[in-house]
Amino acid sequence: MPAVSKGDGMRGLAVFISDIRNCKSKEAEIKRINKELANIRSKFKGDKALDGYSKKKYVCKLLFIFLLGHDIDFGHMEAVNLLSSNKYTEKQIGYLFISVLVNSNSDLISLINNAIKNDLSSRNPTFMNLALHCIANVGSREMAEAFAAEVPRILVAGDTMDSVKQSAALCLLRLNRTSPDLVLMGEWTARVVHLLNDQHLGVVTAATSLITTLAQKSPEDFKTSVSLAVARLSRIVSSASTDLQDYTYYFVAAPWLSVKLLRLLQCYPPPEDGAIRGRLTECLETILNKAQEPPKSKKVQHSNAKNAVLFEAISLIIHHDSEPTLLVRACNQLGQFLQHRETNLRYLALESMCTLASSEFSHEAVKTHIETVINALKSERDVSVRQRAVDLLYAMCDRSNAKQIVAEMLSYLETADYSIREEIVLKVAILAEKYAVDYTWYVDTILNLIRFAGDYVSDEVWYRVIQIVINRDEVQGYAAKTVFEALQAPACHENLVKVGGYILGEFGNLIAGDSRSSPLIQFDLLHSKFHLCSVPTRALLLSAYIKFINLFPEVKGTIQEVLRSDSQLRNADVELQQRAVEYLRLSSIASTDILATVLEEMPPFPERESSILAKLKRKKGPGNLHPDLDENRKERSANGGTVAASPTPSTDLLGLGSTITTQNSAPPASKGTSLLVDVFSENIAAFPVETPVAVGPVADENFSREGGLHPYCTLGDSFVGIQSWQSIQFINPKIPDMRCLPLAPFPSRFVCKNNGVLYENQLLQIGLKSEFRQNLGRMYVFFGNKTSTQFMNFAASVVCQDTLQPADPTVDGGAQLQQILNIECMSDFVDAPVLNIQFRYGGTLQNVAVKLPITLNKFFQPTEMTSQDFFQRWKQLGAPQQEVQKIFKAKHSMDTEVTKAKIMGFGAALLDGVDPNPSNFVGAGVIHTKTTQVGCLLRLEPNTQAQMYRLTLRTSRDTVSQRLCDLLSEQF
Amino acid sequence: MQFMLLFSRQGKLRLQKWYVPLSDKERKKISRDLVQTILARKPKMCSFLEWRDLKIVYKRYASLYFCCAVEDQDNELITLEIIHRYVELLDKYFGSVCELDIIFNFEKAYFILDEFLLGGEAQETSKKNVLKAIEQADLLQEVRLLV
């Protein structure tokens, strides 16, 4: 051994270490350690003053014991004493002890800081380095307070030695990481940037790390580093491999520094100056070219160092995302690595391609490697590599290859490692939903997920499939048929029983016509699984049964018998028992009509960010999750390079993906609404706790617990939410006199549309999402602050019979606030309710009043009917006051498809082949109000030559005919 | 870099360097988890793995595992070479280093690491310069300094 053991060898320490190593058991080791601790304690407490050497030896032993994993609660004072020793090795051990065993004991901290201060001012570079290393290692707040101003001075002082500069740079970096608020920019920053020009490559290496960290904090202050970094990089890249002497590593010129410079450049957008930009592009090309050259050494270190630089260069190319040629070259290079014999390179290539897949320039190029990636998924022996392959498949997925990728992931799932199954399930579920062309494929995919990996299918996934089936009429019959078939399997996963129970309970009637899936067979099938299921699933099945009673009166007796059995009525589980009792009672006393109302089909769920995606984000953290190009690009460009930390105002108020996050950062809304939103987004991921009859008298009288009515909700907490729902019930006419305010009408397109931007001025944007079903509706109002200043005293109220609870009184700059309105149509009406908004912006009070686009036609339910029926009813509604007709000039181009879309958007069913003249349009539907239902027929006859329309409305109520005619005629 | 761990094939920690503030308890838990995870991996597997929100880069030299945890944006390959350069430094200093050298001279292993990496970043990548600094320090041993 060299110099090491010559002078400072601590024999006692070596003996102690040998003893420990010779211990045969853990107990023996602990015994030996306790003996040593007792010995050291007595030495430290003893009357005899210890010499420096002994102190050093004992402190070192304590350190050793600590590093073995034992607690050390003394010796700190002795270590601090060593700091001021005039023997270098004693000082060194003192510092080591302090660095490893930081203790925020305040008396000691001031002593330590004092010792450090002395060493920093000693002008002895070795001592200064020890002190700087200690600060960098401890990096505590107290040290930052003491030295955040001093270290930059040392760093830029003209007479500081190179090695001290290096330590000072990284010491400052550490302080900036722990206490960025204490590291203040100043006159020194400009001089730090110039360290990039330093002669000494070690100084440049350390300084580059520091500048990168600081540039992330305040990019403006370090903008000049871009040109210097490019110049430096260019010199390194073009140097011969021997030029840099000891900074050349296995024939690669300064790989660490190159990587750091490339990393620094990723803090900024591409350089604006053409010359610098050209030089940088040249550098990147040279790095890509070198990858194609034959290796200068067979050593793995050579290829690793070379490829480290290459991968960092590719990261920069992806970050700039502006040079299509470079992006495609990068992709081709990575493509080569995909089949490299080095596992490490295959891993990194898969990882790096994931980010390339999100660039519009290289997305297609990445897709060409699909077969290789699928092959990696099947053949890689290392699970971490396979995981990367899954990530890449997810990132490269789009509509063109979704079916193939989903199929591959599904088949991989059967053999996949347990550790990554859940994530694959989430990813498959997201891709299947996102790229579903037909929803039958989606339903099949999710059922396969449950079949192959039922245990890993989280609640979010099966909630989601139900949400989608409920919201899409076209898939309901297929879903019922498919779950019915899947349930035939003798052993099926409980999640399948849940989905099956829910879907058959809602849509079992759609397949009941087939004698092979008659109501009784459906019920028997579900009930055959009942006893094998857990309590929550049984509870869900009971709810499905009561729904069956409504759907199929013929099985009522059978189901009542099941409910009546002791195993249900006297079930030990309170929830099950209560459901059985309530459902049995409900089915016995309620009339068919009441049953039909109470157990009506679930209303559509509000569209919002998939709860699955949210779950995946929680699992993986935000980042490259979304395979969608546009969203990724938007996000990136919004960040303007790297750093913009301030929240960007959401451009699309109704966009779901990015907006959700903005909402989260917005101040919590007032108790009422925020509770609601929370309940919605977190607690019951997919199931709004709302029953179609929440306001009906039946519900109130017969059931004390409103929630118990809701068949599928078992989450007690969430009922709190119901209290805070605000209902607007409105009867015509009831709008108070609002004429004193400038009243903004809603854009007429809202008559046929439910979502969009309702109102916008320089300060405020109001967005809407709404949905209606029968006489009920729900409207989400989004208030977006377009400014960077906070709105104060924000209040939004709806002028109607009820006023709404105020929203949150402040809206932060760039933030968004959401309010939810529940709407019930009591009878037909003309005037829309008015939304009044008041807030303080700057010093002035702002008043906005805008009509909400709640129009009578929103409560339309389309009715399909044959030509014969139509004309029969048309004749029945022949009384003069029932018909309203209007002839008017076309305001828009008379496009057939657009017209059809408008009539459907209006809410009526568009009936084909009813009118003998094919260019005419006829429609039918029912307007639902709380008190009555009004049947409506309409006919629109275009005359393209004259650019005129004739619109005829016939309904059973004259006011409705008039109102609908007025509304619809405005649309063409 | 967030931390570096050296441990033996038996799972004994030989050196630990933390560049982020963590409590003792957390450190112990992290080391235990990671040592287990890495020891369970087969020899030909790749040197990188995702672990919580960090990237782990590790390599085995004889009976010792060297393991670094870096952040999402950090470069895996260059981290692998940081490990190698550190091994080279130890090797040169001790003269064909073995696990025992690091056990009996653990303080030296820490000193060398501090010269090479500081605050989790490479401070000096030249082998000569690092060793020169350490040798200079060694020369100061036992020399009574007049302050």
Side-chain angles (χ1 to χ4, degrees):
Chain A
M1 277 192 235
V4 200
S5 47
K6 282 180 207 158
D8 70 333
M10 291 172 273
R11 231 187 92 72
L13 177 67
V15 169
F16 174 60
I17 295 175
S18 297
D19 282 0
I20 296 285
R21 285 179 51 78
N22 291 334
C23 287
K24 292 276 179 289
S25 66
K26 192 83 198 157
E27 290 70 35
E29 183 186 310
I30 291 173
K31 214 173 141 195
R32 178 68 186 88
I33 284 168
N34 284 337
K35 188 180 149 204
E36 193 62 39
L37 286 175
N39 172 41
I40 299 172
R41 201 170 275 150
S42 74
K43 293 282 193 240
F44 283 167
K45 283 214 177 116
D47 308 328
K48 218 177 86 198
L50 287 175
D51 60 11
Y53 171 81
S54 312
K55 229 185 261 176
K56 176 181 89 172
K57 185 179 71 184
Y58 293 130
V59 165
C60 215
K61 280 183 181 175
L62 287 178
L63 193 54
F64 182 79
I65 294 169
F66 177 78
L67 290 170
L68 279 179
H70 301 271
D71 291 334
I72 294 295
D73 52 9
F74 68 102
H76 301 81
M77 197 60 210
E78 284 72 15
V80 173
N81 288 341
L82 286 177
L83 293 185
S84 35
S85 161
N86 52 8
K87 270 194 185 162
Y88 176 73
T89 54
E90 288 167 17
K91 195 188 265 297
Q92 203 183 17
I93 295 291
Y95 271 123
L96 180 60
F97 185 93
I98 300 296
S99 305
V100 176
L101 275 123
V102 230
N103 197 324
S104 36
N105 185 327
S106 57
D107 330 334
L108 284 184
I109 282 291
S110 61
L111 287 175
I112 295 168
N113 281 354
N114 247 336
I116 292 177
K117 215 165 270 169
N118 287 336
D119 282 335
L120 283 184
S121 49
S122 69
R123 309 193 133 259
N124 175 331
T126 322
F127 285 13
M128 288 172 86
N129 273 340
L130 273 183
L132 288 168
H133 291 179
C134 181
I135 303 174
N137 283 326
V138 175
S140 66
R141 180 121 197 122
E142 291 86 353
M143 286 198 178
E145 276 162 2
F147 302 109
E150 176 67 14
V151 178
R153 266 200 295 278
I154 298 175
L155 176 59
V156 297
D159 55 349
T160 307
M161 301 262 297
D162 289 333
S163 68
V164 177
K165 273 189 198 164
Q166 288 167 272
S167 302
L170 294 178
C171 177
L172 191 55
L173 172 146
R174 174 72 198 267
L175 292 184
N176 184 63
R177 271 193 195 149
T178 33
S179 314
D181 54 314
L182 295 177
V183 176
L184 304 172
M185 301 303 153
E187 171 272 330
W188 56 275
T189 48
R191 298 172 68 180
V192 166
V193 173
H194 281 277
L195 291 178
L196 288 175
N197 270 336
D198 204 282
Q199 299 268 320
H200 190 287
L201 278 191
V203 172
V204 186
T205 307
T208 309
S209 292
L210 172 66
I211 293 167
T212 306
T213 313
L214 295 173
Q216 283 162 353
K217 186 166 85 171
S218 44
E220 270 307 302
D221 287 317
F222 294 89
K223 239 173 38 191
T224 47
S225 65
V226 173
S227 59
L228 294 177
V230 171
R232 191 93 223 187
L233 182 69
S234 165
R235 268 180 282 160
I236 296 173
V237 171
S238 56
S239 66
S241 58
T242 48
D243 286 0
L244 304 176
Q245 293 160 357
D246 210 34
Y247 289 91
T248 297
Y249 179 81
Y250 292 87
F251 304 101
V252 182
W256 282 281
L257 180 52
S258 306
V259 166
K260 286 184 182 197
L261 289 168
L262 288 163
R263 180 79 192 277
L264 168 60
L265 291 171
Q266 289 171 62
C267 298
Y268 292 93
E272 277 161 26
D273 182 322
I276 300 174
R277 196 174 170 148
R279 205 164 171 196
L280 177 58
T281 306
E282 242 168 63
C283 286
L284 296 170
E285 279 169 350
T286 313
I287 294 172
L288 284 167
N289 292 340
K290 281 189 180 170
Q292 297 298 329
E293 289 170 11
K296 294 200 175 78
S297 153
K298 284 203 172 105
K299 287 243 159 77
V300 68
Q301 282 75 28
H302 171 70
S303 84
N304 278 352
K306 190 166 133 181
N307 291 326
V309 178
L310 175 64
F311 274 106
E312 205 59 50
I314 292 177
S315 294
L316 180 61
I317 292 170
I318 297 172
H319 168 77
H320 284 171
D321 199 10
S322 60
E323 299 270 359
T325 8
L326 287 178
L327 281 159
V328 171
R329 278 194 71 183
C331 185
N332 293 339
Q333 181 61 53
L334 295 175
Q336 288 181 18
F337 286 154
L338 283 182
Q339 309 198 32
H340 202 277
R341 65 190 162 75
E342 273 271 328
T343 316
N344 286 348
L345 284 181
R346 296 198 301 275
Y347 176 96
L348 294 175
L350 289 165
E351 182 184 67
S352 192
M353 263 202 184
C354 254
T355 33
L356 264 184
S358 60
S359 162
E360 59 178 321
F361 300 118
S362 49
H363 183 74
E364 288 304 316
V366 171
K367 274 168 63 185
T368 59
H369 297 286
I370 184 166
E371 296 303 333
T372 321
V373 182
I374 287 173
N375 196 38
L377 190 62
K378 290 176 176 162
S379 61
E380 282 290 350
R381 279 184 300 172
D382 186 345
V383 53
S384 22
V385 186
R386 290 197 295 272
Q387 166 89 58
R388 291 281 82 83
V390 171
D391 288 350
L392 179 51
L393 283 178
Y394 179 75
M396 67 162 72
C397 191
D398 61 20
R399 212 168 282 286
S400 72
N401 54 21
K403 283 204 172 169
Q404 186 188 7
I405 286 179
V406 165
E408 291 294 346
M409 282 185 162
L410 266 177
S411 75
Y412 173 58
L413 192 55
E414 287 182 84
T415 53
D417 313 72
Y418 297 115
S419 54
I420 59 175
R421 281 195 188 182
E422 188 184 355
E423 198 183 314
I424 298 178
V425 167
L426 291 175
K427 287 186 164 157
V428 170
I430 290 166
L431 294 178
E433 179 186 339
K434 195 170 167 66
Y435 299 116
V437 186
D438 59 309
Y439 279 90
T440 57
W441 173 71
Y442 169 76
V443 170
D444 287 341
T445 304
I446 302 294
L447 290 183
N448 278 332
L449 274 184
I450 297 178
R451 201 171 296 150
F452 296 149
D455 286 343
Y456 298 90
V457 173
S458 57
D459 287 346
E460 283 87 348
V461 173
W462 76 263
Y463 288 172
R464 188 70 184 163
V465 68
I466 283 169
Q467 272 186 331
I468 286 179
V469 170
I470 296 224
N471 289 12
R472 320 241 165 217
D473 306 348
E474 72 271 20
V475 76
Q476 290 162 353
Y478 180 81
K481 181 168 155 285
T482 319
V483 292
F484 178 77
E485 281 162 8
L487 283 169
Q488 305 286 337
C492 46
H493 195 272
E494 191 162 332
N495 278 336
L496 182 67
V497 180
K498 290 181 186 159
V499 175
Y502 200 115
I503 288 183
L504 291 180
E506 294 292 323
F507 309 113
N509 55 329
L510 300 177
I511 56 167
D514 188 328
S515 61
R516 285 164 300 176
S517 51
S518 72
L520 193 61
I521 296 179
Q522 286 186 40
F523 171 73
D524 285 341
L525 180 62
L526 281 181
H527 200 53
S528 69
K529 316 284 180 196
F530 187 90
H531 302 280
L532 301 170
C533 293
S534 63
V535 168
T537 308
R538 288 189 197 190
L540 186 149
L541 284 177
L542 287 179
S543 303
Y545 297 169
I546 186 75
K547 287 236 160 182
F548 267 33
I549 291 184
N550 175 46
L551 291 181
F552 316 120
E554 64 265 40
V555 295
K556 182 170 169 180
T558 320
I559 291 176
Q560 282 181 328
E561 209 157 299
V562 168
L563 293 176
R564 206 177 283 128
S565 73
D566 278 356
S567 61
Q568 309 295 355
L569 274 191
R570 300 190 178 180
N571 195 295
D573 185 87
V574 168
E575 179 66 35
L576 292 182
Q577 192 187 89
Q578 181 159 5
R579 285 192 190 215
V581 171
E582 286 179 359
Y583 293 161
L584 183 60
R585 190 87 187 117
L586 176 66
S587 69
S588 323
I589 60 164
S591 71
T592 330
D593 280 354
I594 291 172
L595 265 187
T597 323
V598 174
L599 301 170
E600 192 171 14
E601 200 176 287
M602 288 291 290
F605 291 94
E607 288 295 340
R608 56 171 170 268
E609 186 187 35
S610 159
S611 46
I612 311 177
L613 199 58
K615 176 161 177 134
L616 188 63
K617 278 184 187 157
R618 278 201 299 278
K619 255 182 99 71
K620 300 278 283 183
N624 186 32
L625 278 169
H626 225 277
D628 193 304
L629 277 181
D630 295 344
E631 289 187 32
N632 268 341
R633 290 194 55 75
K634 212 188 293 167
E635 224 171 72
R636 207 126 34 92
S637 53
N639 285 351
T642 44
V643 262
S646 64
T648 41
S650 132
T651 41
D652 173 14
L653 273 173
L654 302 169
L656 286 166
S658 53
T659 318
I660 296 281
T661 41
T662 324
Q663 276 173 21
N664 288 346
S665 61
S670 72
K671 264 283 178 282
T673 39
S674 77
L675 187 57
L676 222 162
V677 175
D678 285 347
V679 161
F680 236 68
S681 58
E682 289 295 328
N683 227 347
I684 38 163
F687 291 86
V689 193
E690 193 221 22
T691 82
V693 289
V695 280
V698 190
D700 293 341
E701 280 164 27
N702 287 351
F703 292 92
S704 53
R705 232 171 39 121
E706 259 188 331
L709 243 180
H710 189 276
Y712 301 110
C713 186
T714 51
L715 294 157
D717 286 352
S718 35
F719 296 123
V720 193
I722 288 181
Q723 307 311 323
S724 58
W725 284 88
Q726 293 292 318
S727 289
I728 330 173
Q729 308 187 332
F730 54 92
I731 307 158
N732 187 40
K734 61 200 157 348
I735 307 285
D737 191 33
M738 291 291 301
R739 257 138 271 178
C740 50
L741 282 172
L743 185 57
F746 56 82
S748 71
R749 63 172 190 279
F750 273 103
V751 170
C752 296
K753 246 182 88 178
N754 286 334
N755 305 330
V757 174
L758 174 65
Y759 175 85
E760 186 159 13
N761 63 16
Q762 285 109 329
L763 308 176
L764 178 75
Q765 188 186 43
I766 305 174
L768 281 189
K769 275 174 78 70
S770 48
E771 55 210 11
F772 295 89
R773 197 172 177 93
Q774 303 196 332
N775 69 322
L776 299 174
R778 184 179 301 156
M779 186 172 270
Y780 298 79
V781 189
F782 301 89
F783 303 98
N785 181 344
K786 290 167 69 182
T787 69
S788 52
T789 325
Q790 198 179 51
F791 291 166
M792 311 290 286
N793 303 17
F794 190 88
S797 57
V798 173
V799 181
C800 210
Q801 209 170 33
D802 273 347
T803 43
L804 285 164
Q805 274 190 8
D808 188 271
T810 58
V811 182
D812 282 340
Q816 204 187 69
L817 188 73
Q818 186 189 6
Q819 203 175 37
I820 302 176
L821 313 174
N822 257 12
I823 302 148
E824 182 174 10
C825 176
M826 309 303 283
S827 73
D828 71 277
F829 63 97
V830 173
D831 283 324
V834 175
L835 180 66
N836 263 327
I837 298 134
Q838 276 197 342
F839 57 92
R840 204 168 271 287
Y841 170 72
T844 23
L845 190 65
Q846 306 283 333
N847 248 323
V848 176
V850 54
K851 278 197 174 189
L852 286 173
I854 300 171
T855 49
L856 185 56
N857 64 298
K858 298 290 178 192
F859 305 97
F860 234 137
Q861 287 288 111
T863 319
E864 294 289 343
M865 56 180 76
T866 61
S867 171
Q868 201 188 347
D869 286 344
F870 183 86
F871 284 108
Q872 194 186 348
R873 291 187 199 187
W874 185 264
K875 277 183 210 132
Q876 285 166 359
L877 295 170
Q881 72 274 19
Q882 289 175 326
E883 179 183 287
V884 174
Q885 194 171 72
K886 204 167 181 178
I887 296 166
F888 54 93
K889 195 135 184 80
K891 282 185 292 231
H892 306 283
S893 77
M894 298 177 75
D895 183 283
T896 313
E897 289 310 311
V898 174
T899 309
K900 280 183 180 172
K902 281 182 179 166
I903 293 176
M904 286 193 284
F906 193 66
L910 188 69
L911 304 177
D912 271 339
V914 168
D915 201 298
N917 178 352
S919 54
N920 290 348
F921 306 91
V922 292
V926 177
I927 294 281
H928 288 257
T929 71
K930 188 167 188 233
T931 44
T932 51
Q933 301 188 350
V934 183
C936 312
L937 302 175
L938 67 90
R939 185 179 198 204
L940 180 71
E941 298 156 277
N943 180 336
T944 36
Q945 271 183 327
Q947 291 284 305
M948 299 286 281
Y949 285 104
R950 179 165 71 184
L951 175 65
T952 315
L953 254 298
R954 285 191 181 187
T955 77
S956 51
R957 188 176 290 204
D958 53 348
T959 47
V960 174
S961 300
Q962 186 61 54
R963 181 64 187 145
L964 290 181
C965 186
D966 290 347
L967 283 168
L968 188 57
S969 60
E970 285 301 304
Q971 297 302 312
F972 300 102
Chain B
M1 187 185 298
Q2 297 219 343
F3 56 85
M4 184 193 247
L5 303 175
L6 262 68
F7 53 89
S8 69
R9 249 178 352 173
Q10 289 74 37
K12 287 230 183 231
L13 264 190
R14 296 302 180 203
L15 181 141
Q16 41 175 320
K17 190 78 188 179
W18 304 85
Y19 298 108
V20 282
L22 288 170
S23 75
D24 238 26
K25 219 172 131 189
E26 286 167 309
R27 290 178 181 187
K28 279 187 184 159
K29 185 173 176 342
I30 291 173
S31 327
R32 216 174 28 240
D33 282 7
L34 262 182
V35 168
Q36 251 177 16
T37 312
I38 291 174
L39 288 178
R41 289 173 63 86
K42 299 193 185 75
K44 285 276 166 190
M45 285 186 162
C46 95
S47 310
F48 318 123
L49 56 129
E50 261 186 359
W51 187 78
R52 301 194 189 167
D53 54 348
L54 296 174
K55 298 198 284 199
I56 302 296
V57 178
Y58 74 94
K59 188 161 180 177
R60 189 180 142 185
Y61 288 86
S63 62
L64 269 187
Y65 284 87
F66 289 70
C67 156
C68 297
V70 295
E71 277 147 77
D72 192 44
Q73 304 237 319
D74 290 330
N75 188 311
E76 289 101 332
L77 284 176
I78 207 73
T79 311
L80 204 53
E81 293 318 299
I82 281 189
I83 293 178
H84 187 75
R85 172 107 302 176
Y86 182 47
V87 173
E88 285 185 349
L89 287 167
L90 293 171
D91 201 57
K92 188 94 182 166
Y93 182 77
F94 289 109
S96 150
V97 67
C98 69
E99 194 184 340
L100 280 181
D101 292 322
I102 296 174
I103 298 173
F104 281 96
N105 302 287
F106 68 93
E107 76 284 7
K108 292 291 176 197
Y110 278 95
F111 297 147
I112 296 171
L113 188 57
D114 271 355
E115 289 295 334
F116 174 44
L117 291 181
L118 196 60
E121 301 285 338
Q123 175 179 211
E124 177 55 86
T125 61
S126 151
K127 197 153 68 173
K128 272 187 206 153
N129 289 354
V130 173
L131 291 171
K132 207 166 70 193
I134 294 287
E135 275 155 20
Q136 269 175 1
D138 281 344
L139 283 179
L140 292 173
Q141 289 173 78
E142 301 307 315
V143 177
R144 205 164 267 277
L145 289 151
L146 305 167
V147 182

